[in-house]
Amino acid sequence: MTNFIIKEPEIVFIHLPKTGGTSVRDALGELQGRYFGHIPEKFRGRLCLAVVREPRARFLSAFRMFKFGNKLENDYYAEPRWPDLTISQALDVLENPWVGFDRSHRSIPWNLKHHIIPQTHEFNCLRHADTVLRFETLEEDFTQFCAEQGIFAQLPRLRASRGGREDEEVWSAHDEDRFNRLFADDYRMLNYGPNITGEKKRPYVFAPISHQTDTVYDLWSTYFSDQKVIAEDATKALPDAACALEPFVDEIIPGDPSNAWAGRSKDLVAHFRKLQPEFSGASRLSHLLACTIVVLRRAPSCEKALELFWRIMDEQFETIRSELSLRWLVSVADTIADFGRSSGERAVGLSASVYANTAKLHESELKLFYPRRPWPPRKRFSSGGNLFDGMLTYWTEQGDMIENMFQRSYEVAVLEPTAGKVLGEVIERMKIGPTVYRRFKRISGEKATPIVDDKVKDRLQRIMKNNL
């Protein structure tokens, strides 16, 4: 669903996919902007128009578009996007909590789900509609609407899906039951059912709308829109600095986690979206924290980014600390070192960064320049001996340098509560990751910290709780 802000006439068109919305949008005129999953407060005084459709016919229209393509030349959907799609697979996508449906990530399953989620789903914003037309009588209804509003517009026919063979639309009894369950609210609230379209019953009148903006779509309006933001306007790319953080904690980003993206996009919003797959399975707040760091790198004087960064760190870091990869923990530490509110805070942030980056250098050297060796390693020389500038080798079996170093760091960390938590988390990652610290633990005969520690288990439990 996309909410189109029409410039003239001043209308918000709530476009529910596969309801003739492309034709209506084309007829209404010039666009002022597009927003996904919400209508910004400044536009809510405008007339809101929507079109609804019989649920099964709408579902099949989307199914056929992805399987067979549509009839609009040069359109993205002119070619089939999922040629071997089945009814059962489409319903699987709809029921899969790890497949998203908003416009924050582009993939075929996400796009399909965007087109087939129920019309009454909260994301579709149908509750905001003042006028609801029916697809089955769209030409007549749209003509009447235009006459009532003094609009001169003609309705074209666009994006009609291609038809397929009936034997390619197989419905099992299980699929029928699933469909009826998933779309029960659409049938009930939109007054669709046997012979209902011929009676021209109007859709259900939704309950009064609360204007409290408490979803991530409302709070982070720019991200869920088609706006482009460059560094010079960086403040526009982020939510309000005083916004509620709890909705960001509660929303778990769906999808499969991907490798780190190391590119750079001039458009900050596009850059944020490229980062999102790294946070699949984590809360939206972790992603937002990363985005504040991106802004501070590009626009160090952005007060909104700095305020949001410290609010997240002070108020919610404990909630998200296990969600952040070491890559992002180091970015957090670097940001604290650069923007710390005291010299102590900056020093602790720098300590965390030095720990992780020194280990990174060592592991990079081993990976790039030394052959893989069997485990356990065979010691080539006796303990002791010079390294450089008076430094002696670490006594692998009985040396206490690592524990002493960690202990001193813990004692410093408690002096700076926020930065200290980051330092403590980095040290724990050094202990459990495939690092020199963990290897020396194993060489000395001590039992190494389990790879899956309690923090990781807590994160997995949170993910399961939010998706079951």
Side-chain angles (χ1 to χ4, degrees):
M1 185 286 314
T2 304
N3 292 311
F4 290 91
I5 311 302
I6 309 299
K7 187 173 183 179
E8 184 60 42
E10 292 189 347
I11 290 174
V12 176
F13 175 51
I14 300 172
H15 180 188
L16 306 180
K18 307 312 297 176
T19 62
T22 303
S23 301
V24 173
R25 188 181 77 232
D26 186 70
L28 285 176
E30 185 180 353
L31 293 181
Q32 195 172 344
R34 300 190 302 171
Y35 296 88
F36 315 128
H38 71 292
I39 300 172
E41 190 76 35
K42 62 183 177 181
F43 297 121
R44 290 192 190 170
R46 296 187 179 188
L47 178 67
C48 288
L49 172 68
V51 181
V52 297
R53 184 176 185 178
E54 196 280 326
R56 184 157 171 150
R58 173 177 172 268
F59 174 87
L60 285 173
S61 179
F63 171 83
R64 291 165 184 156
M65 183 176 73
F66 277 80
K67 188 174 181 67
F68 306 113
N70 66 23
K71 300 176 183 178
L72 185 60
E73 188 176 354
N74 297 323
D75 186 65
Y76 173 80
Y77 298 102
E79 297 296 325
R81 292 297 163 181
W82 196 335
D84 59 349
L85 181 65
T86 66
I87 296 293
S88 184
Q89 286 175 325
L91 292 172
D92 287 344
V93 166
L94 189 57
E95 289 194 291
N96 188 347
W98 292 107
V99 176
F101 49 79
D102 58 32
R103 291 300 201 187
S104 62
H105 175 66
R106 295 301 179 100
S107 72
I108 297 299
W110 280 52
N111 203 11
L112 173 64
K113 191 168 184 177
H114 173 82
H115 281 78
I116 63 176
I117 59 172
Q119 296 162 91
T120 50
H121 191 290
E122 184 177 279
F123 178 79
N124 281 331
C125 296
L126 192 54
R127 65 193 182 281
H128 289 283
D130 303 301
T131 302
V132 179
L133 312 181
R134 287 196 181 278
F135 175 84
E136 294 76 17
T137 54
L138 183 55
E139 289 191 18
E140 177 186 340
D141 288 357
F142 186 71
T143 299
Q144 181 180 342
F145 169 78
C146 290
E148 291 172 353
Q149 300 300 322
I151 300 170
F152 297 96
Q154 186 173 1
L155 196 65
R157 180 172 173 78
L158 301 173
R159 272 194 177 174
S161 300
R162 297 182 186 278
R165 300 196 313 269
E166 289 186 4
D167 64 344
E168 296 191 46
E169 296 177 5
V170 179
W171 290 77
S172 68
H174 178 58
D175 291 338
E176 295 278 3
D177 290 341
R178 281 203 291 171
F179 179 85
N180 291 332
R181 170 174 52 81
L182 292 167
F183 290 90
D185 284 345
D186 272 16
Y187 279 104
R188 177 178 59 85
M189 300 177 73
L190 303 181
N191 277 326
Y192 277 109
N195 304 317
I196 206 74
T197 56
E199 299 175 23
K200 289 198 66 175
K201 286 191 177 180
R202 289 296 162 192
Y204 177 78
V205 177
F206 288 83
I209 302 164
S210 168
H211 288 279
Q212 182 179 0
T213 56
D214 56 0
T215 71
V216 293
Y217 304 111
D218 291 303
L219 296 172
W220 201 358
S221 182
T222 302
Y223 185 71
F224 297 101
S225 76
D226 64 347
Q227 296 182 59
K228 296 180 179 180
V229 181
I230 59 176
E232 288 76 6
D233 298 318
T235 186
K236 298 178 182 177
L238 296 170
D240 186 80
C243 71
L245 297 179
E246 288 75 16
F248 292 90
V249 174
D250 293 337
E251 181 182 302
I252 303 299
I253 298 175
D256 297 320
S258 72
N259 293 329
W261 180 67
R264 181 183 177 94
S265 175
K266 186 176 181 180
D267 174 15
L268 284 170
V269 177
H271 192 103
F272 295 168
R273 291 192 181 123
K274 290 287 188 179
L275 295 178
Q276 177 174 303
E278 291 185 54
F279 295 91
S280 296
S283 68
R284 178 66 67 180
L285 189 65
S286 292
H287 178 224
L288 176 59
L289 178 63
C291 295
T292 66
I293 293 171
V294 170
V295 171
L296 288 170
R297 294 287 178 272
R298 306 270 190 97
S301 61
C302 182
E303 291 295 330
K304 179 192 278 190
L306 194 59
E307 186 174 345
L308 266 173
F309 174 83
W310 285 117
R311 277 197 63 212
I312 295 170
M313 293 301 300
D314 290 336
E315 299 174 22
Q316 296 289 351
F317 181 71
E318 280 293 351
T319 306
I320 64 173
R321 65 188 295 174
S322 64
E323 297 180 348
L324 298 172
S325 67
L326 188 56
R327 154 176 149 86
W328 283 106
L329 280 170
V330 172
S331 293
V332 169
D334 287 341
T335 305
I336 292 173
D338 291 340
F339 298 94
R341 296 163 291 190
S342 68
S343 57
E345 201 164 51
R346 297 182 70 173
V348 170
L350 183 60
S351 296
S353 180
V354 168
Y355 261 122
N357 284 319
T358 302
K360 176 180 177 179
L361 285 173
H362 175 70
E363 303 305 324
S364 296
E365 184 186 26
L366 289 180
K367 182 175 183 179
L368 295 173
F369 301 108
Y370 291 91
R372 196 177 283 243
R373 294 173 180 170
W375 188 269
R378 185 167 60 88
K379 189 164 61 170
R380 296 167 60 193
F381 304 104
S382 61
S383 298
N386 292 322
L387 286 175
F388 57 89
D389 200 15
M391 296 286 281
L392 304 178
T393 57
Y394 176 59
W395 189 0
T396 57
E397 292 84 1
Q398 299 184 39
D400 58 2
M401 179 193 74
I402 294 176
E403 285 307 317
N404 288 341
M405 186 169 60
F406 285 162
Q407 185 57 38
R408 291 188 180 100
S409 296
Y410 288 134
E411 290 173 1
V412 170
V414 298
L415 303 177
E416 295 290 346
T418 299
K421 291 174 184 176
V422 178
L423 175 56
E425 186 66 25
V426 167
I427 291 174
E428 293 303 309
R429 301 293 179 92
M430 293 294 100
K431 290 180 178 179
I432 67 174
T435 68
V436 61
Y437 300 110
R438 180 180 172 86
R439 287 195 295 274
F440 271 127
K441 279 274 191 183
R442 294 174 65 191
I443 290 171
S444 69
E446 287 189 44
K447 185 177 180 181
T449 307
I451 291 293
V452 181
D453 68 354
D454 290 338
K455 293 185 177 66
V456 177
K457 292 177 182 177
D458 289 344
R459 178 186 173 191
L460 292 173
Q461 290 171 353
R462 280 190 61 225
I463 292 171
M464 293 176 65
K465 180 180 178 181
N466 280 274
N467 287 280
L468 293 180

